[in-house]
Amino acid sequence: MNFIVNILSLGIPFSVALLIASLGEMFNQRAGVFNLGCEGIMAMGAFLGMLVPYSIGQGGPTSGMYNVLGLGLAMVVGALLGIFFAFVVVTFRAPQGIAGIGLQMFGVGTAGTLFRHFIGGTQSVPGIGNLPIPGLSKIPLIGPIFFSHNILVYLAFLFVPLAWYILFKTPWGLRVRAVGTNPRAADSIGIQVNRVRYQALAVGGALAGLAGAYLSLAQVKMFSDEIIAGRGFIAVALVYFGHWHPVKIMGGALLFSLAQALQLAIQGQGINFPYEFAVMLPYVMVIIVLAFSRESQLLGPTSLGKSFNREKRV
Amino acid sequence: MELTQKKITNLRVEHITKRFPGVLASDDITLEISEGQILALVGENGAGKTTLMNILMGLYQPDEGRILINGEEVHFRSPNDAFAAGLGMVHQQYMLVANMTVLENIALGFKAAWSPYKLNLEMVRDRITEVAKKYGLSVDPDAYIWQLSVGEQQRVELVKTLCLGARFLILDEPTSALTPQETDELIVLLKNMSSELSIIFISHKLQEVKDLSDKITILRHGAVVFEGNTHEHSPSDIAALMTGHEVDLPLNEEPACEGIPVLDIKSLNVKSDRGFLALNDLNLTICSGEIVGLAGVSGNGQRELAESINGLRKVENGEIQFYGENIANKSPHHIIEAGMGYIPEERNTEGIVPSFSMKENLILKDTEHKEFSRYAFLKNKAIDKNAEDLRVKFDIRSPNISIAAGSLSGGNIQKVILAREISRRPKFLIAVYPIRGLDLGAAEFIHKQLLEIRHEGIGILLISEELDEILDLSDRVAVIFKGQIQKVLARKDANRRSLGILMAGVKDDQTV
């Protein structure tokens, strides 16, 4: 029983970076743009998120404030990178796949370079501590699993219904869904397709930046070149896996993270199982699930990946 | 621009000119329409009708010219400006978002319902009810667009346009996807609406133009070639003005050929993309040297039938006997080699490889044949000669044979496909919507070619929604409804009325 509680209480905070990044990516894709540069924005977010508390407030009494500043800076730069990406693929209509890979390499490379310049070696920060919820965290089983995490974990899961509401119940969400599915229809009814795509990419970028800063401030509490470790790409895959729906995306993020927690637990328990295979487990699981999940043409953004040009005659 | 409720008593465009790279799409066009009038804008494909309307709606900016409403000049920088002035357009390709509901689609343009944090769908719903009541248009606000038939989608487009406050309607080929009954209903509806609104109606179906419009303007190559009152001119006059020459769509007047059955389909069951049975125990026999027209509203299994015969879709059970061989579930390669010719529904995506050159597309089915390849190499000289010969024989208008096939016009793409299929000397031909979207000149040419190969003894299955096309060419007419053949009629028994009733699913005449 303890073993299971361990996996669950470890897996849930693991899922947060993926959850935030893939909800951001969901807004991108719902608007018709897939951003493979998510990984790069996360790397920048991770570096900037930890840079603020490391350089001005290391270990000081008000480090909570600096953490917030770090998260904020990560989100602002993430949004700017999203807008930059929009400039390339929306305004100039560059192919999204290639441009995304470019952004990924740019982000990861720049973050690593700046890290060596400003911080240098391996340095840890106090980061964001756990905030057990009074009362609830004392409940056996449920307490340690659900109510003994840092504040971002709670906020990330609260963001799931909020993202659903934004996407399906607000005028902005309606516009996002329309420009990703039939931009010509949206245009004919007076919606500025490219403007909505810029907005969605800014939101997606901000969330990717936040996800990266979560890793460096709350999960690992340090920065290294490999901190993102492919999570940006997994986030893109989870959006497909979750059929562009926040709740299903949350399911995917949890599935992946629990598999990761499981493999760590297997290693920790000293069970005689080659650890190389254990490490592979979550990735293999994503591939299998993606291979067997049926594509749903009826619900997804059917203009995903296509740039919009009003005067191009069809 | 402020939203006005003012009536549009007069709309005038003056000297509109619009150039696209290499094309003069609108050439100094001037036209005028007053309150309560219905203007038919007629012309062949590429004549510039849709471009002109897109300019009127603020989707394109004209290079020269101006637009006047009630005598005052207006500038439409985006569709929002045109809506605000009271103009609304129903596009030929419906501008609806398939994965959203009717309500959401209308809310998309209904800015009054956009409070920042919440979409006021109830307000939109009230507006829909109001419009539906006023004009007698019923729609289900909560249905998803993908669940609706083409006719229903068009009604949604009309309701949408009216909900957004249109007092001047532009309809771009509104009947191109409708059944005959739906077309009749639409015409009645538009006539009633014209007491309150002005309508510009784009079409190249001359009967509807006669039935509906007060005034007619004919465009050719982007310029106005004729203006006049509809009742003073006959459909054949209009057709001649539209194409620039006398048009005479060919008719199949030969006696029914007594060939042997060559394609014999027995209790065929095939599933659709969504997994339900699209063909349900379908039986149909076609002989050599006859054209069987398959009439039906699209979505009743036509696509699945054509694809399963050509090996592109799995047959659940049943037989397709082709010259004595069961070709059900054989590979497309095998079926092509057995002598099947196919003009597919989607000419741009299934009929050609758009990025390949015209000459490559012309040998696409014969890349392994000795005629065009030796060892592992293509015989370029033979390929060039083949293309040059076919270009002349099939009157394909292209600058050269190396041009990307996708850059040709729809009519010329269809001629490339037809040339490839016919020059391979098939034993049978399946032609799916062969003239859909083509102008009269190209349609005439394609119909003549089909009649010619019929004369040579080739059987043809002609799948179409155009009753005129089916009635002009067929020896027998089969009506498909919900994946079954309702009835097969001899040419003498088939007419618009009898087919329309069968297409709507009524099996015997007694009920009507």
Side-chain angles (χ1 to χ4, degrees), chain B residues 8-9 33-38 194-199 214:
Chain B
I8 297 179
T9 53
I33 168 168
S34 316
E35 193 180 348
Q37 277 189 331
I38 302 183
S194 73
S195 59
E196 305 207 11
L197 330 130
S198 313
I199 298 173
D214 306 313

Side-chain angles (χ1 to χ4, degrees), chain B residues 5 11 45 48 60 84 92 124 127 146 192 197 248 262 266 294 314-315 358 360 404 420 431 439 447 458:
Chain B
Q5 291 300 323
L11 182 135
N45 289 302
Y60 295 164
Q92 185 180 3
V124 183
R127 177 80 182 140
W146 58 264
N192 290 338
L197 330 130
D248 199 9
V262 291
K266 290 177 191 161
L294 187 72
K314 192 180 157 209
V315 172
M358 176 184 138
E360 287 167 334
R420 179 181 71 215
D439 58 52
H447 281 180
I458 292 168

Side-chain angles (χ1 to χ4, degrees), chain A residues 30 165 168-171 174-175 177-178 181-182 184-185 187-191 298-300 310-311 313-314, chain B residues 18 20 51 58-60 79-80 83 91 95-97 99 104 107-109 114-115 117-119 146 160 164:
Chain A
R30 277 283 184 173
Y165 182 86
F168 293 104
K169 297 291 163 193
T170 65
L174 189 71
R175 292 198 289 272
R177 286 186 288 140
T181 307
N182 191 345
R184 240 166 232 286
D187 186 41
S188 78
I189 207 164
I191 288 164
L298 295 175
L299 299 171
R310 176 192 282 169
E311 300 216 350
R313 306 223 275 175
V314 281
Chain B
K18 174 76 183 172
F20 284 110
T51 304
L59 280 164
Y60 295 164
N80 283 328
F83 296 144
H91 295 261
M95 294 292 186
L96 297 169
V97 183
N99 61 3
E104 287 177 322
L108 207 48
W114 294 4
S115 63
Y117 305 112
K118 180 147 176 47
L119 194 59
W146 58 264
K160 179 176 89 177
L164 304 185

Side-chain angles (χ1 to χ4, degrees), chain B residues 271-292:
Chain B
K271 280 185 182 168
S272 75
D273 289 340
R274 290 200 214 151
F276 55 80
L277 274 186
L279 300 182
N280 190 357
D281 279 338
L282 181 136
N283 294 289
L284 185 63
T285 305
I286 302 170
C287 300
S288 60
E290 76 165 347
I291 298 180
V292 172

Side-chain angles (χ1 to χ4, degrees), chain B residues 26 34 62 68 87 92 131 145 163 189 192-193 223 230 247 298 308 325 394 418 460 496 499:
Chain B
S26 302
S34 316
L68 298 107
L87 269 54
Q92 185 180 3
V131 165
I145 299 300
C163 281
L189 186 73
N192 290 338
M193 283 163 64
T230 312
V247 183
S298 74
S308 56
E325 183 198 1
F394 285 85
L418 191 76
I460 299 176
R496 295 186 72 86
L499 293 181

